Amino acid sequence: ETGVTQSPTHLIKTRGQQVTLRCSSQSGHNTVSWYQQALGQGPQFIFQYYREEENGRGNFPPRFSGLQFPNYSSELNVNALELDDSALYLCASSTLTSGGPGGGELFFGEGSRLTVL
Amino acid sequence: AQSVTQPDIHITVSEGASLELRCNYSYGATPYLFWYVQSPGQGLQLLLKYFSGDTLVQGIKGFEAEFKRSQSSFNLRKPSVHWSDAAEYFCAARGGGYNKLIFGAGTRLAVHP
């Protein structure tokens, strides 16, 4: 039990639709990062939010966007859904330091499984 | 480009046997290294991590990993596997700065009774 909760756990959308996934971070954590895990693959970094601003992004198009709120919870939004967006979306919370080993062990939620038909 | 490679997609061992899961990394400098475990339908749980110092790292659930700079490897080991260890195992690496992890593709472990 990591204290990171994600919702919804499962959802089905059709191509072209939009989706919002939510994440509540562990108490005391100020940083949230999102990962996409396609079937049979390792998680891929989407982006990270710190103090309500995006401060790192992986190789994902702009239709993947996010928000972080003052309570450090976060949303991942995906517009114009494509079939390849079907995946498990993982949220991880941590504390951010200016690099170094103390910089944030990541605590993962159980994920939101998105199916795009 | 930075990358993490797990050469074994599937491994099957008998309960009580020893286990070694391989991980190789490609980074400009020595990254911070991690092993995570994922059970079906669950998120990722951290088993252990290496930042610096002693190259043999102890983790939870009886796992350990050895960092070998000359081989760019960080292999996970367990002397005696339990049926409950059946899961998917991911090796990951992180450079300095923000918390972006680069994951390998994972190794699925099956345990026979």
Side-chain angles (χ1 to χ4, degrees):
Chain A
E1 190 66 39
T2 64
V4 179
T5 58
Q6 293 187 241
S7 62
T9 55
H10 295 83
L11 69 166
I12 299 173
K13 293 284 188 178
T14 57
R15 277 185 304 173
Q17 286 189 311
Q18 178 266 343
V19 68
T20 298
L21 308 178
R22 296 177 175 82
C23 173
S24 293
S25 58
Q26 187 177 96
S27 177
H29 286 181
N30 57 14
T31 304
V32 173
S33 48
W34 286 90
Y35 288 78
Q36 180 196 65
Q37 185 179 14
L39 197 62
Q41 297 182 22
Q44 301 287 320
F45 176 76
I46 302 174
F47 46 52
Q48 175 175 282
Y49 277 80
Y50 170 65
R51 291 186 174 177
E52 303 178 51
E53 291 192 0
E54 183 182 301
N55 77 333
R57 190 177 184 93
N59 189 26
F60 281 81
R63 60 190 185 83
F64 285 77
S65 63
L67 286 172
Q68 186 181 32
F69 300 99
N71 66 354
Y72 304 128
S73 65
S74 177
E75 288 182 353
L76 165 65
N77 299 290
V78 187
N79 294 321
L81 283 167
E82 301 177 359
L83 296 180
D84 286 348
D85 296 333
S86 295
L88 180 68
Y89 288 85
L90 295 165
C91 167
S93 76
S94 61
T95 56
L96 184 71
T97 67
S98 56
E105 173 181 335
L106 271 64
F107 293 83
F108 284 86
E110 295 189 357
S112 294
R113 184 163 297 282
L114 170 66
T115 301
V116 182
L117 302 177
Chain B
Q2 300 167 339
S3 66
V4 174
T5 302
Q6 295 179 246
D8 305 305
I9 298 173
H10 289 98
I11 285 184
T12 301
V13 299
S14 298
E15 191 168 17
S18 63
L19 171 71
E20 182 168 24
L21 303 183
R22 296 183 291 164
C23 172
N24 294 96
Y25 65 88
S26 174
Y27 258 76
T30 300
Y32 305 135
L33 296 162
F34 307 82
W35 275 98
Y36 285 86
V37 61
Q38 186 177 39
S39 298
Q42 297 191 12
L44 298 167
Q45 181 183 23
L46 180 67
L47 288 175
L48 47 77
K49 57 191 176 187
Y50 172 77
F51 291 149
S52 64
D54 192 347
T55 57
L56 186 62
V57 179
Q58 302 297 320
I60 63 171
K61 304 185 179 186
F63 285 93
E64 66 178 25
E66 185 172 13
F67 169 68
K68 293 184 177 180
R69 185 189 305 274
S70 61
Q71 298 177 20
S72 297
S73 70
F74 187 56
N75 293 349
L76 181 71
R77 301 195 294 244
K78 187 170 185 178
S80 177
V81 171
H82 187 263
W83 65 266
S84 61
D85 293 325
E88 186 134 26
Y89 291 80
F90 292 96
C91 181
R94 173 170 78 84
Y98 61 89
N99 295 331
K100 174 185 176 181
L101 284 174
I102 295 177
F103 284 86
T107 298
R108 182 166 296 278
L109 174 66
V111 180
H112 281 181

